[in-house]
Amino acid sequence: MDNETHNASQLLSPHNARNLFDSVDAFLFDCDGVIWKGDSLIDGVPETLEMLRSKGKKLVFVTNNSTKSTRQYANKFSSLGITVTEDEIFSSSLAAAMFLKVNGFPREKKVYVLGEEGILEELELAGFTGVGGPEDGTKTVQLKPNSLFEHDKSVGAVVVGLDQYVNYYKLQYGTLCIRENPGCLFIGTNRDAVGHMTDLQEWPGAGCMVAAICGSTQKEPIVVGKPSTFMMDFLLQKFLISTTRMCMVGDRLDTDILFGQNAGCKTLLVFSGVTTQSTLEDPSNDIRPDYYTSKVSGVLNLLEF
Amino acid sequence: MDNETHNASQLLSPHNARNLFDSVDAFLFDCDGVIWKGDSLIDGVPETLEMLRSKGKKLVFVTNNSTKSTRQYANKFSSLGITVTEDEIFSSSLAAAMFLKVNGFPREKKVYVLGEEGILEELELAGFTGVGGPEDGTKTVQLKPNSLFEHDKSVGAVVVGLDQYVNYYKLQYGTLCIRENPGCLFIGTNRDAVGHMTDLQEWPGAGCMVAAICGSTQKEPIVVGKPSTFMMDFLLQKFLISTTRMCMVGDRLDTDILFGQNAGCKTLLVFSGVTTQSTLEDPSNDIRPDYYTSKVSGVLNLLEF
């Protein structure tokens, strides 16, 4: 088998879908563009998840979208008619809080959030004090002589995630903390360029806000979401399954598929989100999933029991 | 003379200040951090500029700050008690409009502005139709099912500059134009990380907004402000002075001094803005001006007539 053949991705077929199914004990799903687009379920998802559960497969949901906490994601699944428990969900908001926890971030220090509610909720659950977030979304700045923009010197970390309420106040606040508070951490939940915040189109993702803070601070963030495998340790502790017996299912090459490959999982790309078949096949792309199919229900439709 | 000696910057002294003065016919000044901080003049500036004019030196002001047009900058100088004419001012807002003009940007296409009033005014003076800008600063987005964020398909260029009213609406608008309108240009006025928007502190600069759009589009901008020498051709046409007989005076290594060096000018760094002596001398810095002094009045104080 030459190198090219070895690296080629395979279209999911009745034959290899069976092989994939038999060789995997846990399916890890991205959410935006895989399970749903915005608030709309993608066709065939509930039946596919139900089939996998009925066959004893573990289901895990790994999302880079930090706007919700794992509790809020469980509620979102429930509102869409799918039962998923909180401990099956690994969001980048949770990852940010876990990163601070495992690195012994001091409880007396604060965390400035350039992001939404999900990050604040996970910080609180982990015992940290988050500031900023949605309530700074209505604040404005005064560029006036002798007027000093004050920031909290006890902020020891800035967490930047997707933020539809991003403004100059928050950008200045986060920038000042990172530039002026000694040792202040700069944590990016993820760097997705865009995402399906609504069903009909893509919107700037956390990669936009993270890049903005890189631009003003000239520093690079610690990224805790995909493609970083930071969350994999927690996932392994909970599920006790070897990563070689896992399959990561996602719509993004540079986050989902790379995450799966970095962690040693099998990978399945779906075209129901941001990636098209022509992007996959473009010579400039060097991230190749093991398998690809149109959407998650491809797995269901190809299997016969 | 070994290489290290050759590359060393010289502290301005009575001796080399005289050499600099005699070898230069035009002084090019950055504004923020050199002439003023926010709306406060830096000490000794009026007397220095007056002395240079009285000795027959040409004065030119080259600013990366795109929030004002050259007309608005002339007004700002005037309000600070300094007479400067519009044609002595080269702002990155003017540079953006000139870039479109010399590249034959079609008049029937529109230009989306993620930036402030200065860019819109220069676009209009150059005969182009700018949209966006300040009026989009109050707009909000609705992340709702079946709700499509519409953008103008006739936008052929997005100009991104410093914008204290940046928001998710503008980020999505600029991103959609660049990603979806075929051939749409992405122009950054400049990439300054921070700047003295007020006298007391620094704030995120255009580098923050430009990076945000890089993050969401995964494209790199055409940069028209410093350190790009795009404006130098216009400056040379107007002043007919060889760049070797010019001295660029600025407070930033990676924009002002690099611009001067890229254009073949002499360079003078002042410490009245964002750069400190320790930054200049840090081993990680490889941009070395010919001369450095505390502020522009250093030139005045060292010369005797």
Side-chain angles (χ1 to χ4, degrees), chain A:
Chain A
M1 193 182 281
D2 68 22
N3 205 38
E4 197 171 340
T5 314
H6 183 72
N7 286 332
S9 302
Q10 294 178 39
L11 173 66
L12 209 61
S13 68
H15 176 69
N16 62 21
R18 167 58 62 182
N19 284 348
L20 176 64
F21 181 85
D22 289 342
S23 64
V24 161
D25 298 322
F27 283 87
L28 281 50
F29 292 96
D30 177 40
C31 295
D32 289 306
V34 176
I35 303 297
W36 54 61
K37 282 188 177 187
D39 290 322
S40 307
L41 263 186
I42 289 170
D43 187 42
V45 163
E47 303 88 315
T48 309
L49 298 182
E50 200 175 322
M51 178 275 287
L52 292 172
R53 275 203 203 277
S54 74
K55 301 293 179 186
K57 305 298 179 187
K58 300 280 184 201
L59 305 186
V60 183
F61 300 87
V62 186
T63 175
N64 266 355
N65 189 326
S66 64
T67 59
K68 291 184 170 62
S69 63
T70 55
R71 182 190 62 80
Q72 291 169 318
Y73 274 114
N75 289 343
K76 177 167 179 170
F77 275 102
S78 171
S79 74
L80 293 169
I82 301 176
T83 303
V84 170
T85 61
E86 272 184 57
D87 63 3
E88 292 173 318
I89 302 168
F90 292 82
S91 62
S92 65
S93 51
L94 173 67
M98 289 300 102
F99 181 86
L100 294 171
K101 200 165 185 176
V102 300
N103 285 282
F105 185 77
R107 303 275 155 185
E108 67 275 16
K109 292 251 185 187
K110 294 183 188 139
V111 182
Y112 186 75
V113 177
L114 200 169
E116 299 194 19
E117 187 57 34
I119 300 171
L120 282 172
E121 183 164 322
E122 293 296 350
L123 288 173
E124 193 184 341
L125 286 168
F128 297 114
T129 306
V131 294
E135 76 172 58
D136 283 357
T138 54
K139 292 185 181 166
T140 56
V141 302
Q142 295 290 321
L143 296 181
K144 296 214 164 134
N146 299 316
S147 135
L148 191 71
F149 184 105
E150 304 268 9
H151 74 285
D152 190 331
K153 303 290 192 296
S154 72
V155 168
V158 175
V159 176
V160 182
L162 172 61
D163 189 348
Q164 65 171 299
Y165 308 106
V166 61
N167 61 21
Y168 199 54
Y169 179 96
K170 294 186 185 184
L171 292 168
Q172 168 70 335
Y173 206 107
T175 300
L176 281 178
C177 293
I178 293 169
R179 293 185 78 209
E180 299 189 0
N181 291 3
C184 183
L185 300 172
F186 169 21
I187 297 170
T189 57
N190 65 298
R191 300 197 76 159
D192 292 42
V194 292
H196 268 286
M197 315 316 166
T198 58
D199 50 344
L200 296 183
Q201 65 195 149
E202 292 164 14
W203 298 73
C208 178
M209 294 80 206
V210 170
I213 295 293
C214 292
S216 59
T217 62
Q218 299 186 299
K219 295 201 171 153
E220 285 297 305
I222 299 157
V223 175
V224 293
K226 297 172 285 186
S228 155
T229 57
F230 169 72
M231 287 305 279
M232 191 49 95
D233 286 346
F234 299 91
L235 210 148
L236 291 173
Q237 277 172 29
K238 205 166 275 179
F239 293 96
L240 301 171
I241 294 173
S242 158
T243 58
T244 59
R245 303 277 307 169
M246 294 181 182
C247 178
M248 177 69 211
V249 185
D251 69 321
R252 294 190 61 102
L253 293 163
D254 60 350
T255 53
D256 302 319
I257 301 306
L258 195 55
F259 167 79
Q261 291 176 343
N262 287 343
C265 306
K266 294 183 175 61
T267 54
L268 170 61
L269 178 72
V270 291
F271 295 131
S272 50
V274 302
T275 305
T276 60
Q277 184 150 2
S278 65
T279 305
L280 170 64
E281 289 167 357
D282 193 278
S284 69
N285 169 45
D286 54 8
I287 304 171
R288 303 198 180 280
D290 296 317
Y291 306 99
Y292 62 91
T293 190
S294 60
K295 51 190 173 182
V296 293
S297 57
V299 180
L300 177 67
N301 298 335
L302 292 167
L303 291 170
E304 286 180 26
F305 296 100

